[in-house]
Amino acid sequence: MGDEPTTKKKGLTGFLIYAIFAAVLGMLQFGYNTGVINAPQAVIEDFIKDAYLSRYGVKIADGWEKIIFSIAVSIFAIGGMIGGVGGGFVANRFGRKRGLLLNNATGVLGAILMGFSKAAQSYEMLIIGRLIIGFNCGLNTSLVPMYISEIAPLNLRGGLGTVNQLGVTVGILFSQILGIQEILGTESGWPLLLGLAICPAILQLVLFSFCPESPRYLLITANREEDARIAMKRLRASSQIEEDMEEMRVEAQQSEAHMGMLELLKSRALLMPLGIGIVMQLSQQLSGINAVLYYSTELFIGAGLASESAKYATIGVGAIMVGMTLVSIPLMDRAGRRTLHLWGLGGMFIFSIFITISLLVMELIEWVRYVAVVATLTFVLFFAVGPGSIPWMITAELFSQGPRPAAMSIAVLVNWLANFLVGLFFLPLKGALHNYIFLPFSVLLAFFWVFTYKIVPETKNKTFDEISALFRRNDREEFATQNCILTSSGVGSSTLAVPVPSGTPAHTESTALLADIRTIKINAS
């Protein structure tokens, strides 16, 4: 117990910090492009009108500029879904490092198309650029958490995994600051604002070139032990790496074979961890955080702030997300993923109720406006504590090396799909529910809390093989319960005989699971 701080200090080397920083630029790219399009909406719609007029000689029909702008916004998520689906293939075919390096080509191309769309008087270039940069971000959200989880030391994996969300929140904050009218949110500045997406891509291309490939990929997937050993020595800044190498060898022995997304979906043994990974992603996107971000400016205006001041207050929301994500980094390996996720979801549930009450009575009671602001900021705070960061890391932790890329692809696809659906249906839902807009999210938060409490295991300080063993053991117990005959064996105990007749489907199903447990003794209560 007393040596723990020393171990953590030893595990966090300068080169490991460098590698994680270089990798997480991909998540910063995701955050930047998520937030960058919102602030300059009015000037981009004016550009669409002007481009249409110069091309066709007539004004665009009323409202069509908003439809074209909405396409440019939403197609980013479609690109993200495509990139997320391809993450597993890229991770296995090219490796984590080469996959990320190659992906920067799409980041550069997307940024160039967006940045030069005004000069070319082409809103089609803007839409295609958003699609391509979305693909880039989708691939990043699959490969970056995978890479970081595989290179992080066991006792630091949670905290370093939180850096994924830190990259996202920093990217969003940068886009909010640069997008204000005083900087780049202007008629002449918005192409540069969107084109700046080239910076994370170029920076990662340069910095990440000096980083090693994931040692787990090298040893378990590529069967290159010597290269894995060299990479591990660089990351640990030590030649004492036998414990890490042995852990990877054990995982290699226990790991399932490589599988695609369809194979993973059909795997009975991996159904539980896959379901947990999917629900965790949904708990992030369907928590109501996007609704709060959309609604925050209006809430601040309702509390008495001027329109311009409300924009700066919204930037404050982004700053809170960054600050609380930083606070959660050391907590992740102390309190644990499951505990922090429960705290985050529980706090969001409580304050979503406060937001709803505030919206209903703020017109009647003046000071309740300020309660709405405090509730909004606290809601964001609890999001940063758990649901903001944990879903990115826990899917990679729940799977061994073989199915991990396919699992990440499915989880990222679900995350982007949920993001897309929230963006698509939020405004119609707001129009229908008005001040009750947060109630559906309150119900979902309650469901996610119960699911996490009942189903999600704690992965803190567990190796990948130990986490996989949790599900292998649960699967054995479930099979034994369904296919065994209970026989009495005296007053103090009973024997649960497991019949596995040769040649039957049960025999085929149980060979791997019950090779060493023909009988299970259960102590009677």
Side-chain angles (χ1 to χ4, degrees):
M1 182 73 73
D3 296 336
E4 188 177 351
T6 305
T7 304
K8 289 192 175 186
K9 188 175 179 181
K10 182 179 177 182
L12 193 61
T13 65
F15 190 72
L16 178 62
I17 294 172
Y18 172 85
I20 289 173
F21 172 77
V24 88
L25 287 169
M27 299 301 282
L28 186 144
Q29 178 80 287
F30 167 49
Y32 183 81
N33 285 284
T34 297
V36 74
I37 198 74
N38 296 322
Q41 177 177 350
V43 290
I44 292 177
E45 288 177 356
D46 288 340
F47 152 72
I48 294 170
K49 291 177 183 177
D50 293 340
Y52 190 92
L53 179 62
S54 65
R55 185 183 304 175
Y56 300 108
V58 294
K59 290 184 178 180
I60 193 170
D62 287 345
W64 273 95
E65 75 280 1
K66 294 187 180 298
I67 293 174
I68 293 173
F69 178 79
S70 298
I71 292 171
V73 173
S74 60
I75 205 167
F76 174 72
I78 294 173
M81 285 184 263
I82 298 170
V85 168
F89 170 79
V90 172
N92 284 328
R93 177 68 178 82
F94 300 104
R96 284 61 163 152
K97 177 186 174 179
R98 285 177 61 202
L100 282 169
L101 289 175
L102 290 171
N103 189 36
N104 285 306
T106 62
V108 170
L109 178 60
I112 289 173
L113 287 170
M114 292 187 297
F116 286 97
S117 58
K118 183 180 180 183
Q121 284 291 291
S122 172
Y123 45 79
E124 293 87 354
M125 282 178 60
L126 174 62
I127 292 170
I128 295 170
R130 287 282 294 175
L131 176 67
I132 293 173
I133 204 73
F135 175 88
N136 170 270
C137 293
L139 206 49
N140 281 335
T141 54
S142 181
L143 294 178
V144 174
M146 199 185 314
Y147 179 81
I148 290 177
S149 70
E150 290 181 358
I151 68 171
L154 172 63
N155 58 338
L156 296 174
R157 198 173 64 219
L160 295 180
T162 307
V163 176
N164 292 301
Q165 180 64 9
L166 180 62
V168 176
T169 56
V170 168
I172 291 173
L173 183 59
F174 277 171
S175 71
Q176 289 176 332
I177 294 172
L178 294 175
I180 63 175
Q181 267 191 320
E182 289 77 3
I183 304 180
L184 291 176
T186 62
E187 184 179 348
S188 60
W190 72 262
L192 178 59
L193 179 66
L194 270 60
L196 282 176
I198 198 172
C199 294
I202 295 294
L203 193 59
Q204 186 179 63
L205 193 60
V206 174
L207 297 180
F208 203 56
S209 298
F210 299 99
C211 296
E213 178 57 272
S214 160
R216 271 188 161 75
Y217 170 80
L218 292 171
L219 178 66
I220 302 174
T221 305
N223 198 26
R224 293 156 51 189
E225 181 166 345
E226 190 55 36
D227 290 337
R229 189 179 293 276
I230 293 169
M232 187 64 77
K233 285 180 180 178
R234 291 181 68 194
L235 291 166
R236 300 293 183 263
S238 170
S239 58
Q240 306 300 316
I241 58 168
E242 284 310 313
E243 186 176 343
D244 290 299
M245 295 298 293
E246 182 58 29
E247 182 208 326
M248 290 192 295
R249 290 191 196 99
V250 170
E251 184 184 346
Q253 292 170 0
Q254 298 291 337
S255 179
E256 297 87 350
H258 297 303
M259 56 180 66
M261 293 171 63
L262 290 177
E263 293 173 290
L264 178 58
L265 290 169
K266 294 176 183 176
S267 172
R268 176 179 175 275
L270 297 175
L271 189 61
M272 177 64 79
L274 181 61
I276 291 173
I278 288 172
V279 174
M280 293 293 279
Q281 297 291 337
L282 292 175
S283 73
Q284 181 188 81
Q285 290 298 329
L286 301 183
S287 64
I289 187 62
N290 291 323
V292 165
L293 293 176
Y294 288 138
Y295 220 57
S296 57
T297 301
E298 188 173 329
L299 282 172
F300 295 140
I301 292 173
L305 291 179
S307 178
E308 202 63 32
S309 300
K311 290 180 182 178
Y312 291 110
T314 301
I315 293 175
V317 171
I320 287 175
M321 290 178 68
V322 172
M324 284 310 302
T325 304
L326 282 169
V327 169
S328 69
I329 289 176
L331 294 177
M332 201 61 66
D333 288 305
R334 295 178 184 175
R337 286 65 144 160
R338 180 176 177 272
T339 301
L340 286 179
H341 202 62
L342 287 170
W343 273 100
L345 291 172
M348 291 176 78
F349 170 77
I350 291 170
F351 283 95
S352 69
I353 299 295
F354 279 133
I355 292 172
T356 299
I357 294 172
S358 301
L359 292 174
L360 290 171
V361 301
M362 68 165 52
E363 297 298 329
L364 302 175
I365 307 174
E366 186 71 23
W367 58 265
V368 173
R369 298 170 184 268
Y370 301 100
V371 174
V373 173
V374 173
T376 301
L377 296 176
T378 312
F379 185 94
V380 172
L381 185 151
F382 276 104
F383 173 80
V385 166
S389 56
I390 292 172
W392 293 120
M393 76 176 79
I394 200 166
T395 305
E397 290 185 323
L398 293 175
F399 292 87
S400 59
Q401 192 74 10
R404 186 178 296 131
M408 287 298 296
S409 289
I410 293 171
V412 168
L413 171 63
V414 168
N415 187 289
W416 279 90
L417 179 61
N419 188 343
F420 175 72
L421 293 175
V422 169
L424 189 65
F425 291 110
F426 174 72
L427 289 178
L429 194 65
K430 180 186 169 189
L433 298 179
H434 302 290
N435 289 334
Y436 294 95
I437 181 62
F438 284 96
L439 282 185
F441 297 114
S442 300
V443 173
L444 287 168
L445 285 165
F447 165 76
F448 293 135
W449 192 94
V450 172
F451 181 91
T452 302
Y453 183 79
K454 295 284 189 182
I455 305 293
V456 178
E458 180 55 74
T459 58
K460 179 185 71 171
N461 290 334
K462 288 185 173 66
T463 66
F464 290 119
D465 183 61
E466 287 171 343
I467 296 168
S468 297
L470 291 174
F471 297 107
R472 289 197 296 268
R473 183 167 66 247
N474 290 342
D475 198 61
R476 289 193 198 100
E477 291 170 356
E478 180 185 348
F479 184 87
T481 301
Q482 292 175 355
N483 297 281
C484 300
I485 302 171
L486 184 65
T487 59
S488 177
S489 171
V491 177
S493 65
S494 61
T495 299
L496 191 62
V498 184
V500 192
S502 177
T504 64
H507 177 271
T508 304
E509 180 75 16
S510 64
T511 299
L513 298 174
L514 299 173
D516 300 321
I517 48 170
R518 297 292 177 179
T519 58
I520 302 171
K521 288 193 174 180
I522 301 175
N523 292 325
S525 55

